[in-house]
Amino acid sequence: MAATNPAGVEALHRLKLTEPPMYLTPSPELANAARTASEHLFALLKPYTPKSPFDRLLVDEKFDAEQIWQQIDLQSQPLISAICRQVNKFEKDPKELKGIFKSSESEQEKRSEFVMEREEEEEEDEDSEDEDDVEEKDHEIKEGEREIKEGGFFDEKEFYDDEAIDYGLTKWKQGLEDDEDDELGILELAGEEDNSDAEKIKYDDFYTSNKKHDQNKKSKVNKEVEDTEMSDEEENEGSDVEDDEDSDEDVDQEDEGFADDLASDEEAMKDNLSTHEKQLLEQRAKIEQVEKESLDVKAWTMQGEVNATKRPKNSALEVDLDWERNAKPPPVITEEVSQSIEELIMKRISEGHFDDVQRVDRLPSKAPREMKELDENQSKKGLGELYADEYAQKTGLVSQALSFSDEQKKEATVLFKKLCLKLDALSHFHFTPKPVIEDMSIQTNVPALAMEEIAPLVVSDAAMLAPEEVFSGKGDIKEEAELTQEDRKRRRASKKRKFKAENAKKAAKKPRENKQTAGDGEDNTPSSEP
Amino acid sequence: MLRRNVRLRREYLYRKSLEGKERLLYEKKRKIKQALEEGKPIPTELRNEDAALRQEIDLEDERTAVPRSTIDDEYANATESDPKILLTTSHDPSAPLKQFVKELKFVFPNSQRMNRGGQVISEIVETCRAHDFTDLILVYEHRGVPDKIVISHLPFGPTAYFQILNVVTRHDNKDKKEMGTVSEAYPHLILNNFSTKIGERTANILKHLFPVPKPDSKRIITFANQSDYVSFRHHVYRQSGGSKSVDLKEVGPRFELRLYQIKLGTVDQDEAQTEWVLRSFMNTSKKQKVLGE
């Protein structure tokens, strides 16, 4: 064993005794104590490390935390792997374990104490946040190892990881129960999920022994127990450890286990399915349930209009008939409301601000009548001049300057006619043809010579009369002087003919008038005189 | 008469179809006007039409400058003459309903009450048209309590359906002797809190039931909207001692109105287009404030 260096031990004790908050402030004494303690521990472990480059931990003042830590690391890494190997070895060969565990009850208690201690130290550990923190943890592992060596009763199997130990998982406990008849009770405990332990804890840790003992009882040869169940057992056992009540609780658990056998059997089958298949199963179960519900008769609250006869007695008292309504409730007219309205009215009155109908002026549809103003002043023109002006206007010798309003009037009338056409087209079913807007321009029958003389040069010839308008071609074209003898004869003959026709008409008219009262439809053709 | 109505209807439809184009034109003119006022160059997209539009702008007056919306066209000529209202009830009215309608007759100036008898709605509307009524008001009841009022504007105008709540009639309050007679002057109107589009429309419908009042009229009728419930109040006021102290005396019935439908035809046209209808079964109907606020 390692030489117990008193200084080192004392340093360890000191570290243990200091309050965790003290670690938060850097203090040189604690640092020194930590150094000596680590040195001591290192020395303790040295024999067990297969090959280490250091004889002792170099913890002089000049070495900083990083370097010390690295040295420790160098030592501890191979050590840990060695321990793991040994643990695996014991896994496969649990009989050795049993042999160890059967030794004594007192050892149990010791172990429980140690376990508790460990837990306390762990808590301390977690509290401290010093640079020595990591070293502390390391120390713990080493302490545990030391205890192993000292006690000689533990197997490394117990110390898988911190959490396992928290839960109080101890192999020796397992081992005890293995001997009891219904170990399977423990197995059947329905577990909650605790997958953090899953990786390091293996099936074989717990159940390889069971397999060998109880193959006759249950046919669970290749049962893959979930880690959840183990971890749950750990939890249960953790509590047991603290309280030191082993047997009673275990018995209870076993009873439950019996009842749940079949269920867990199915669970085992379920565990063979993938997650997707499990989901499908759940869905199907839900669907079946919903279908079953919908086929059943509904509860009376869901049946629409329900009389008192259709529902059980006093059932309306139990149902909460209040639900959220979407409509706004009609306002209750309180005094305040009326008051506020009246205030509003008074305010409006004092402002004089009302929302009355405004009378709008109609668009004038008729043009305002032209009022003929009578000029009261004496006319400056004499009467003779007035007559002369009128005559000139009549004959068109004077081109009258058309007044402004006439021009506009013309334009307006033309526009209005076009507009009327459009409106009529819109509102009448039958077709209205376009109105002929005649351009009216006065054309006076004035001899061209006169026009040419008087009219300004700008006036176009188009305004003048065409030859047909001057003389249409009926009547005597030739003058008296121009006539030849035959022409004279012809004229005389036509004259005579006309005269005769007129006389015959006159003669026919008179007897017709006399006979009208009789009403005879006598055909009175004018008798042609030879 | 019929043909005139048909023509007016067609004009309305035509103008409605032009509304879009008119709006564009109005926008262009507005832009040009703005550019001219600010002294900025006219926007490039309007350069081609600038001359023609400028000419039109010069010729515009206040009335033509604003683009006409076709919504209230039914009331375009309503202001020229006083409204003429016909009041009736549902078939076989009870005595309280008859009293209520009698009171309403005094509320609306220039109104007449008619017994319903056995007339059908279409007959009533025809009589109204024949006698040149502008509005028709129908009042319905439930066991003596008036619960619905339908206001229909006549040439071809909109119909508004209201639900009546919390009715307090003059007959309830006082005896005959205390009541006195109602002032029949043309009243001033107060329409408060009709801020949305439908609110404005309703305000218009209610407004045009009344004629143009004289400025010094002492009678006030209030339609105050509070979360879609329109309170009707009828007061006569007296200004004592300057414009500071105003004494209000409540006259006439008071009730709450709740609009539930506006249709774009008269009452007898049930296949007319609905402008708006209340949807109280929607989940968000609690939050909706249709008429104002």
Side-chain angles (χ1 to χ4, degrees):
Chain A
M1 288 300 284
T4 46
N5 185 358
V9 175
E10 194 236 320
L12 269 175
H13 276 295
R14 220 168 120 223
L15 284 174
K16 215 163 66 166
L17 289 170
T18 46
E19 299 281 311
M22 299 293 284
Y23 284 111
L24 290 170
T25 52
S27 69
E29 304 135 7
L30 280 178
N32 280 329
R35 281 172 204 259
T36 41
S38 357
E39 202 186 339
H40 169 65
L41 286 172
F42 192 90
L44 283 177
L45 285 170
K46 174 107 183 23
Y48 304 102
T49 51
K51 13 171 177 161
S52 82
F54 305 106
D55 289 334
R56 59 176 197 85
L57 192 65
L58 306 164
V59 286
D60 293 343
E61 293 291 315
K62 297 172 190 155
F63 288 101
D64 66 347
E66 193 58 40
Q67 289 170 328
I68 296 173
W69 165 244
Q70 277 177 357
Q71 292 173 48
I72 292 169
D73 213 14
L74 269 176
Q75 191 204 43
S76 58
Q77 286 291 355
L79 194 57
I80 286 173
S81 45
I83 291 168
C84 282
R85 256 184 278 120
Q86 296 216 348
V87 163
N88 287 334
K89 211 169 62 177
F90 280 121
E91 258 187 287
K92 289 164 184 143
D93 200 9
K95 281 192 180 160
E96 263 192 54
L97 267 176
K98 270 203 208 158
I100 296 164
F101 287 152
K102 290 243 180 200
S103 44
S104 62
E105 285 293 311
S106 58
E107 281 162 2
Q108 271 184 38
E109 284 169 304
K110 261 200 209 167
R111 282 167 221 146
S112 60
E113 275 174 29
F114 275 118
V115 168
M116 281 162 74
E117 244 190 76
R118 281 216 54 174
E119 289 179 40
E120 282 170 6
E121 283 165 344
E122 279 193 54
E123 283 163 83
E124 266 190 52
D125 210 28
E126 280 149 25
D127 286 343
S128 63
E129 289 166 24
D130 221 6
E131 48 184 37
D132 300 314
D133 189 16
V134 187
E135 293 180 45
E136 282 285 297
K137 265 208 171 160
D138 222 358
H139 295 321
E140 258 198 294
I141 295 174
K142 287 168 196 164
E143 267 189 297
E145 288 156 20
R146 182 173 54 137
E147 280 157 352
I148 290 169
K149 298 310 154 196
E150 284 174 358
F153 300 116
F154 296 115
D155 261 349
E156 288 89 347
K157 264 200 216 175
E158 288 186 32
F159 304 106
Y160 288 148
D161 58 345
D162 298 340
E163 289 156 23
I165 289 147
D166 276 343
Y167 291 139
L169 168 64
T170 49
K171 264 296 157 208
W172 55 269
K173 193 70 186 177
Q174 273 287 303
L176 269 178
E177 284 153 4
D178 286 347
D179 286 347
E180 290 168 21
D181 265 353
D182 299 328
E183 301 104 352
L184 298 166
I186 307 157
L187 300 175
E188 264 96 282
L189 289 165
E192 295 140 9
E193 300 250 16
D194 198 8
N195 290 319
S196 52
D197 305 317
E199 304 123 79
K200 303 210 177 155
I201 302 164
K202 299 216 178 6
Y203 171 88
D204 285 337
D205 300 337
F206 294 92
Y207 300 108
T208 45
S209 55
N210 293 339
K211 266 204 263 182
K212 288 168 192 168
H213 283 265
D214 298 308
Q215 272 170 1
N216 297 333
K217 283 200 178 180
K218 303 283 174 180
S219 56
K220 292 167 198 168
V221 180
N222 291 319
K223 185 179 168 186
E224 286 174 303
V225 180
E226 281 174 301
D227 295 335
T228 58
E229 291 184 15
M230 291 196 317
S231 56
D232 191 46
E233 289 158 54
E234 289 158 19
E235 283 175 58
N236 291 329
E237 278 143 0
S239 57
D240 292 348
V241 168
E242 263 25 301
D243 301 333
D244 243 355
E245 305 166 28
D246 10 316
S247 30
D248 289 347
E249 283 189 53
D250 294 341
V251 170
D252 290 341
Q253 286 160 8
E254 282 144 28
D255 283 339
E256 281 176 86
F258 253 123
D260 297 332
D261 272 1
L262 290 168
S264 54
D265 204 4
E266 283 173 5
E267 278 178 40
M269 302 309 285
K270 272 189 194 168
D271 299 338
N272 291 331
L273 304 169
S274 65
T275 36
H276 175 63
E277 283 171 354
K278 279 183 221 155
Q279 272 178 8
L280 282 178
L281 278 177
E282 279 173 45
Q283 268 181 15
R284 247 174 257 149
K286 269 188 209 167
I287 290 169
E288 278 176 32
Q289 197 208 0
V290 169
E291 279 178 4
K292 189 170 155 253
E293 274 177 23
S294 60
L295 285 174
D296 280 342
V297 178
K298 289 189 180 166
W300 70 268
T301 45
M302 285 292 154
Q303 269 178 5
E305 291 189 14
V306 173
N307 286 329
T309 48
K310 299 225 171 80
R311 56 181 168 84
K313 194 174 175 187
N314 286 340
S315 52
L317 295 170
E318 292 142 28
V319 175
D320 182 21
L321 287 170
D322 225 358
W323 63 88
E324 222 185 81
R325 280 160 242 257
N326 278 333
K328 281 173 267 198
V332 177
I333 302 298
T334 55
E335 274 294 314
E336 300 156 356
V337 176
S338 316
Q339 204 63 30
S340 61
I341 293 177
E342 287 191 3
E343 274 168 31
L344 165 81
I345 295 171
M346 283 198 272
K347 193 170 137 229
R348 287 286 201 107
I349 291 171
S350 50
E351 286 170 18
H353 172 48
F354 302 116
D355 298 308
D356 297 330
V357 182
Q358 308 288 341
R359 206 179 273 280
V360 185
D361 296 322
R362 225 188 200 170
L363 279 174
S365 50
K366 283 187 192 167
R369 258 183 156 187
E370 268 186 18
M371 304 293 279
K372 289 184 183 168
E373 282 178 13
L374 288 172
D375 205 6
E376 283 159 40
N377 301 331
Q378 218 183 20
S379 76
K380 291 166 190 166
K381 284 186 176 176
L383 196 61
E385 286 173 16
L386 281 174
Y387 286 152
D389 284 339
E390 274 184 32
Y391 176 71
Q393 256 189 348
K394 252 195 206 169
T395 52
L397 293 168
V398 180
S399 70
Q400 195 186 21
L402 293 166
S403 60
F404 189 60
S405 62
D406 282 341
E407 270 292 325
Q408 277 206 324
K409 270 190 194 170
K410 265 197 208 169
E411 208 188 323
T413 42
V414 167
L415 284 173
F416 188 68
K417 278 201 174 172
K418 285 188 187 163
L419 180 66
C420 274
L421 168 74
K422 283 191 185 162
L423 285 176
D424 288 342
L426 279 174
S427 49
H428 293 150
F429 262 138
H430 45 270
F431 171 67
T432 315
K434 263 191 172 177
V436 177
I437 301 172
E438 294 147 1
D439 285 320
M440 294 202 304
S441 55
I442 304 164
Q443 293 169 349
T444 50
N445 193 355
V446 164
L449 202 63
M451 294 288 281
E452 279 166 17
E453 281 179 6
I454 296 162
L457 292 165
V458 188
V459 169
S460 62
D461 292 343
M464 285 186 237
L465 295 171
E468 304 87 60
E469 293 162 303
V470 174
F471 174 68
S472 57
K474 289 205 174 136
D476 302 341
I477 296 175
K478 283 186 173 177
E479 290 280 304
E480 275 280 346
E482 294 171 335
L483 288 172
T484 60
Q485 199 57 32
E486 288 103 32
D487 290 34
R488 280 180 220 273
K489 276 187 184 171
R490 214 179 283 129
R491 275 198 193 185
R492 184 174 155 74
S494 62
K495 242 199 235 173
K496 278 175 100 178
R497 249 182 273 130
K498 274 188 210 163
F499 184 69
K500 275 182 190 170
E502 272 186 55
N503 281 346
K505 247 198 214 168
K506 275 182 192 168
K509 245 190 187 178
K510 275 179 189 170
R512 218 197 297 148
E513 278 170 10
N514 293 335
K515 282 180 186 175
Q516 250 184 358
T517 49
D520 283 335
E522 246 185 308
D523 199 18
N524 289 320
T525 54
S527 55
S528 54
E529 282 178 42
Chain B
M1 182 70 183
L2 190 69
R3 285 210 291 202
R4 177 157 74 98
N5 287 336
V6 169
R7 174 170 61 89
L8 287 171
R9 186 113 204 111
R10 283 238 204 98
E11 275 178 18
Y12 167 72
L13 290 170
Y14 177 64
R15 245 182 286 123
K16 205 172 180 191
S17 71
L18 286 184
E19 205 182 325
K21 289 187 215 161
E22 267 193 37
R23 197 153 277 279
L24 277 174
L25 210 68
Y26 168 71
E27 276 298 306
K28 287 183 191 169
K29 284 186 199 169
R30 193 186 59 82
K31 278 191 202 163
I32 291 178
K33 261 191 259 183
Q34 207 177 22
L36 287 172
E37 274 166 36
E38 291 172 10
K40 285 193 185 164
I42 295 168
T44 48
E45 62 267 16
L46 298 171
R47 269 207 211 128
N48 287 337
E49 310 144 343
D50 171 47
L53 285 176
R54 201 103 65 88
Q55 209 178 30
E56 282 184 34
I57 290 170
D58 290 333
L59 292 171
E60 274 174 359
D61 60 355
E62 330 88 54
R63 243 185 153 191
T64 47
V66 183
R68 298 178 72 171
S69 78
T70 46
I71 298 291
D72 279 323
D73 265 346
E74 294 108 336
Y75 293 103
N77 299 327
T79 53
E80 288 153 20
S81 57
D82 287 347
K84 202 169 158 196
I85 302 177
L86 182 67
L87 277 162
T88 13
T89 61
S90 50
H91 288 289
D92 202 9
S94 63
L97 182 67
K98 284 194 254 187
Q99 281 176 2
F100 182 68
V101 174
K102 216 199 300 186
E103 285 175 25
L104 278 186
K105 181 170 112 57
F106 289 114
V107 166
F108 298 109
N110 212 2
S111 64
Q112 290 177 28
R113 188 193 67 81
M114 185 175 80
N115 285 334
R116 177 67 183 267
Q119 291 165 342
V120 191
I121 294 257
S122 48
E123 285 176 25
I124 301 176
V125 173
E126 271 186 46
T127 18
C128 287
R129 283 226 181 91
H131 294 276
D132 251 345
F133 281 94
T134 59
D135 291 278
L136 168 67
I137 298 184
L138 295 155
V139 188
Y140 297 82
E141 64 161 341
H142 170 69
R143 300 196 67 160
V145 174
D147 76 337
K148 180 169 133 187
I149 187 169
V150 180
I151 301 176
S152 176
H153 188 66
L154 267 171
F156 34 82
T159 314
Y161 298 77
F162 294 92
Q163 183 193 19
I164 308 180
L165 305 151
N166 297 340
V167 183
V168 176
T169 58
R170 277 163 52 87
H171 285 84
D172 293 342
N173 289 345
K174 308 159 189 181
D175 323 322
K176 219 171 179 181
K177 288 177 190 170
E178 278 183 41
M179 275 195 316
T181 50
V182 183
S183 155
E184 293 206 31
Y186 290 173
H188 282 294
L189 289 176
I190 293 179
L191 294 158
N192 183 43
N193 199 11
F194 287 90
S195 41
T196 63
K197 235 177 80 178
I198 296 171
E200 304 261 357
R201 178 75 157 144
T202 323
N204 244 327
I205 293 174
L206 292 169
K207 205 161 48 159
H208 288 279
L209 292 170
F210 298 90
V212 183
K214 286 191 192 158
D216 57 350
S217 164
K218 297 284 182 217
R219 192 176 158 208
I220 290 197
I221 289 185
T222 313
F223 292 93
N225 170 37
Q226 179 69 35
S227 68
D228 286 356
Y229 286 91
V230 180
S231 310
F232 171 89
R233 298 284 184 276
H234 184 193
H235 294 275
V236 165
Y237 74 89
R238 189 178 49 190
Q239 263 187 355
S240 47
S243 61
K244 305 248 171 104
S245 59
V246 177
D247 294 325
L248 284 179
K249 184 179 148 207
E250 181 152 3
V251 154
R254 67 149 76 156
F255 45 86
E256 312 290 311
L257 291 172
R258 189 179 186 209
L259 177 72
Y260 68 84
Q261 198 176 49
I262 300 181
K263 279 206 170 207
L264 284 175
T266 54
V267 191
D268 55 343
Q269 297 171 342
D270 13 294
E271 66 285 340
Q273 189 188 2
T274 44
E275 186 177 332
W276 177 79
V277 75
L278 174 75
R279 305 231 178 253
S280 59
F281 45 78
M282 292 202 302
N283 280 335
T284 50
S285 58
K286 228 182 197 174
K287 305 176 205 163
Q288 269 187 353
K289 302 228 189 262
V290 180
L291 288 181
E293 216 163 37

